[in-house]
Amino acid sequence: MNQSSLREINLPDNYRLRRASLKGRTAAILVVFSLIMQALSQEPANLGWLAWFCLAPWAIAAATYASRIRGTLLFYGSALIYFLIILRWLIPVTSAGWLGLCLYLAVYYLACGFIIRKIYLKKRWPLTLVLPVLWSGQEYLRSVVMTGFPWFFLSHSQHNNLPLIQIADMTGTYGITFILAMTNGLICDFLLRPLNTPQENGKSKPLSPFRLTAITFTCILVVFGYGQIRLNQIHKTNETGPTLTMIQDNVPQSNKPEFNDPTVNQWDTLFNSHLELTRMAMENETKPDLIVWPETMAPYLNEEFLNFTLPGYDITDILATIDTHRRYDKLLSQTAKEGVGLLIGTPHFEYAIHNGYLVPGKQANAAMLYLPDGSRYSETYWKMHLVPFGETIPFKYSIPWLYRLLMRFTPYEYDYSVESGKTPTLFTFKTPKGLELRFAVAICYEDVIPYMPRKLIQIEDGEKKADFLLNISNDGWYLKSGLDGKPLQALAEIPQHLAICRFRAIENRIGIARAVNGGISAFIQPDGSLQATPLAGTLPEDPWHRSSQRGFLTDTIHTNPTISFYSIYGDLFGISTAILSAFFLFMPLMHRGKKNSHS
């Protein structure tokens, strides 16, 4: 090799003199390649190994792209297209919400790219440490800002890597993302930093990629070691809980009665289908202690609706509907009297009088329990975390014109907003065998919001008030009708929903059972593993094959007395990374201000 070639390889020792600079086409290729790998790392492709390096091309392009203005367009535009594609399953629910959410989520990618570029140009800080802080911080913000949408986190790609993800009981999912982003940052540093560590103008030496490698692999080994220890501990402390049956119908939302209309007659078909599956489960040799129906799969059963009477008004049709729903209530009560608890997902509906007219009153998404003696539990749980656009239309009172505009893009012609619950509900009862059940219910997406299960299980005096958690959900929105009479097809949301729920079990060391219309119903152990061989049922043994299936699933749920660090302190790790990310964001401005003050 000649001397000129050596000079080209031996880049300047001064860190600031050796900054790389990419042109538009190269940067665009790196960004697109990175986003494709990010998408493939998640369900349903589930190529989780890509997460260990899928961020690196994106981060390199962000740090080295020469044009600031074009870079803004590239990083925001590519992120917007990325989210529009991977979240396209939201379109059947709300096209306006899908577009608005994607426009919002793309901002996080733009902000991270801006910070990385400024740090690369102004500081010697290694991306091995900067990138994990930024990515964990933005994921935390995505989980809480505007009620939160914690989807497509880097950590979610590892839901099958049980030793790695046990750290979630301390850091939440953000610690897992931190480790994955460290390896991505390390790749960036090997390509962007000098391999030697020369001293620059009397200043301290920067960390070389070799030292950063030692730090990264030490962290990985610690996390895997911790995970293996925790798996052994959890397996020893797990206890066998009650026997539960999860009912799973396969009804697309297009065939389901509308949430806010108590007069429709389609409830008969839906109710009878679930009652049939319930009878099948009860006639099986394995007798359940509790049978669980998915979200909103039963009609209006609350006392305010069933006991409504209004003399002097011509409400014959309404009273006829109420009589039908009273029949449903009686059937459920009679079924429960055979010695089983029935947890029912049902809309809560009330009538009210306004200016002398009969109008709909309070409406809520609720869970109701029928006890083994046929009576109802004294409390009904109202869903606390409402999904924007899916269950409530924002800006109704604050920005009326925007509210009216958004209403045009919703799936209904009327305001279908429901009221949120204020407090969690602890359901508790004793079976005829004397076994006590204590559990909480997460409705719909409450199981993907990290802070919700922690709130629902209620840690008090060093103990969990709930022994296990139930998730009831209606994922019929994400069932696509097959062509030419072919079976229904499940959209990507359905396996993604299950993958995310697994982290809630680890964070709080609690068993979770899911009853989901359209799938995937499953039992999740406190270590995040899926129970693959149920005691009884008609659904496939492999949980990942249960989407777009109709049947039931009977198994024992595992409980665990362990109180995790996360259950006590919550998102302390995520908050810390978000604060550091804010510092990184404002650091360039502070640097510029100091420079101007000395000029």
Side-chain angles (χ1 to χ4, degrees):
M1 185 178 292
N2 58 39
Q3 189 67 24
S4 61
S5 297
L6 288 174
R7 282 198 297 270
E8 291 176 1
I9 294 175
N10 292 329
L11 297 172
D13 287 340
N14 188 300
Y15 184 54
R16 288 181 173 78
L17 293 179
R18 66 181 308 276
R19 299 293 201 276
S21 181
L22 292 180
K23 294 183 178 180
R25 180 177 297 179
T26 305
I29 291 173
L30 288 176
V31 168
V32 171
F33 182 54
S34 175
L35 294 177
I36 290 174
M37 288 195 294
Q38 289 180 49
L40 292 177
S41 71
Q42 305 283 346
E43 289 287 351
N46 196 31
L47 302 178
W49 51 272
L50 291 175
W52 294 94
F53 53 83
C54 66
L55 278 183
W58 182 90
I60 290 172
T64 60
Y65 191 29
S67 174
R68 182 171 58 181
I69 297 177
R70 291 181 180 178
T72 300
L73 295 175
L74 171 62
F75 287 97
Y76 183 80
S78 60
L80 175 60
I81 295 172
Y82 167 71
F83 283 114
L84 287 171
I85 293 174
I86 63 175
L87 288 174
R88 61 189 182 278
W89 44 260
L90 269 175
I91 298 175
V93 182
T94 165
S95 56
W98 164 71
L99 177 59
L101 180 64
C102 294
L103 289 167
Y104 156 72
L105 292 176
V107 173
Y108 288 97
Y109 275 61
L110 176 62
C112 287
F114 170 81
I115 295 171
I116 289 173
R117 185 174 188 272
K118 289 298 182 183
I119 287 177
Y120 178 72
L121 292 175
K122 302 292 184 181
K123 298 290 182 179
R124 296 182 298 171
W125 299 344
L127 290 180
T128 304
L129 304 179
V130 170
L131 187 58
V133 170
L134 284 179
W135 217 255
S136 303
Q138 65 93 12
E139 286 188 353
Y140 168 74
L141 293 174
R142 282 165 54 190
S143 72
V144 295
V145 177
M146 295 179 64
T147 75
F149 187 76
W151 221 275
F152 295 109
F153 285 2
L154 202 61
S155 51
H156 296 161
S157 66
Q158 304 301 301
H159 65 92
N160 282 326
N161 193 340
L162 290 181
L164 174 66
I165 63 178
Q166 299 306 309
I167 194 69
D169 72 352
M170 293 188 66
T171 65
T173 59
Y174 315 110
I176 305 162
T177 290
F178 192 96
I179 290 296
L180 295 169
M182 275 190 82
T183 63
N184 283 270
L186 181 63
I187 294 171
C188 297
D189 284 329
F190 261 102
L191 296 173
L192 299 178
R193 294 173 71 86
L195 297 182
N196 60 344
T197 57
Q199 198 166 7
E200 298 180 10
N201 301 325
K203 296 181 180 179
S204 59
K205 297 179 180 180
L207 288 170
S208 73
F210 297 108
R211 293 180 180 179
L212 293 170
T213 300
I215 294 172
T216 301
F217 276 88
T218 299
C219 291
I220 292 174
L221 289 174
V222 168
V223 169
F224 271 98
Y226 173 85
Q228 196 58 58
I229 292 172
R230 294 300 279 165
L231 284 172
N232 295 335
Q233 291 175 340
I234 296 301
H235 291 167
K236 292 178 181 178
T237 54
N238 269 352
E239 300 173 0
T240 301
T243 302
L244 312 179
T245 292
M246 303 292 110
I247 302 297
Q248 176 179 309
D249 212 329
N250 192 39
V251 183
Q253 192 64 21
S254 57
N255 294 350
K256 188 177 178 296
E258 293 184 355
F259 186 92
N260 297 60
D261 187 356
T263 63
V264 296
N265 296 321
Q266 286 177 291
W267 282 117
D268 259 344
T269 302
L270 190 68
F271 181 85
N272 291 335
S273 176
H274 284 76
L275 193 61
E276 178 188 11
L277 290 171
T278 299
R279 300 303 313 178
M280 290 172 60
M282 295 179 67
E283 292 168 2
N284 194 277
E285 292 182 3
T286 304
K287 304 297 182 183
D289 299 304
L290 175 67
I291 297 177
V292 183
W293 287 20
E295 171 194 17
T296 64
M297 290 296 126
Y300 308 87
L301 299 171
N302 55 295
E303 293 183 4
E304 296 85 351
F305 177 75
L306 296 180
N307 297 332
F308 175 79
T309 56
L310 187 62
Y313 282 80
D314 184 10
I315 53 172
T316 305
D317 292 341
I318 294 174
L319 290 179
T321 300
I322 292 176
D323 287 340
T324 301
H325 289 214
R326 286 171 178 164
R327 175 170 57 85
Y328 298 148
D329 176 57
K330 185 177 180 180
L331 286 170
L332 289 171
S333 178
Q334 291 173 344
T335 303
K337 280 184 180 179
E338 298 182 34
V340 64
L342 286 176
L343 193 284
I344 307 296
T346 173
H348 177 105
F349 187 88
E350 298 177 20
Y351 280 118
I353 304 173
H354 181 68
N355 294 332
Y357 293 95
L358 194 64
V359 296
K362 290 182 180 179
Q363 304 166 71
N365 192 348
M368 178 183 297
L369 176 65
Y370 286 82
L371 299 171
D373 62 2
S375 64
R376 287 201 223 165
Y377 193 70
S378 58
E379 297 180 61
T380 297
Y381 174 63
W382 283 18
K383 185 182 179 188
M384 299 168 63
H385 186 277
L386 301 182
V387 179
F389 297 100
E391 292 173 313
T392 183
I393 306 300
F395 311 118
K396 183 174 183 178
Y397 302 106
S398 56
I399 313 177
W401 66 267
L402 182 55
Y403 160 79
R404 290 191 295 270
L405 177 63
L406 293 174
M407 277 294 299
R408 298 180 180 180
F409 296 94
T410 62
Y412 302 114
E413 295 180 356
Y414 56 86
D415 187 347
Y416 53 87
S417 296
V418 299
E419 295 195 25
S420 61
K422 305 303 178 186
T423 57
T425 298
L426 179 70
F427 292 97
T428 177
F429 72 94
K430 285 189 176 181
T431 69
K433 304 174 186 175
L435 178 65
E436 184 177 18
L437 278 68
R438 303 187 310 164
F439 60 92
V441 180
I443 300 178
C444 190
Y445 282 175
E446 286 185 322
D447 68 322
V448 302
I449 305 296
Y451 56 82
M452 279 305 303
R454 175 173 169 261
K455 182 184 296 185
L456 290 168
I457 65 175
Q458 303 179 64
I459 302 294
E460 288 187 6
D461 300 325
E463 292 185 359
K464 304 170 187 171
K465 295 186 69 174
D467 293 323
F468 59 91
L469 182 69
L470 298 177
N471 171 229
I472 59 175
S473 185
N474 172 26
D475 282 5
W477 291 99
Y478 312 111
L479 293 174
K480 182 180 179 181
S481 298
L483 300 176
D484 300 326
K486 293 182 179 179
L488 293 170
Q489 298 176 352
L491 299 182
E493 185 275 347
I494 289 179
Q496 290 165 6
H497 195 168
L498 173 61
I500 297 172
C501 184
R502 299 176 71 176
F503 292 91
R504 305 293 87 85
I506 299 170
E507 289 166 350
N508 299 285
R509 294 302 177 191
I510 195 165
I512 300 177
R514 307 183 72 229
V516 185
N517 175 45
I520 300 172
S521 298
F523 286 76
I524 307 173
Q525 295 197 25
D527 63 0
S529 60
L530 298 175
Q531 296 174 209
T533 307
L535 296 176
T538 59
L539 293 171
E541 288 193 357
D542 186 348
W544 300 103
H545 293 161
R546 293 176 192 156
S547 58
S548 65
Q549 301 283 325
R550 179 180 183 270
F552 72 92
L553 187 71
T554 300
D555 210 345
T556 53
I557 191 164
H558 288 76
T559 64
N560 196 290
T562 303
I563 305 296
S564 70
F565 181 91
Y566 182 86
S567 290
I568 299 173
Y569 298 104
D571 293 318
L572 188 62
F573 185 89
I575 293 170
S576 300
T577 58
I579 293 173
L580 283 174
S581 298
F583 168 75
F584 290 161
L585 176 62
F586 292 107
M587 179 273 302
L589 300 178
M590 296 166 56
H591 178 84
R592 182 183 299 177
K594 290 181 180 179
K595 184 177 180 180
N596 292 337
S597 65
H598 291 295
S599 60

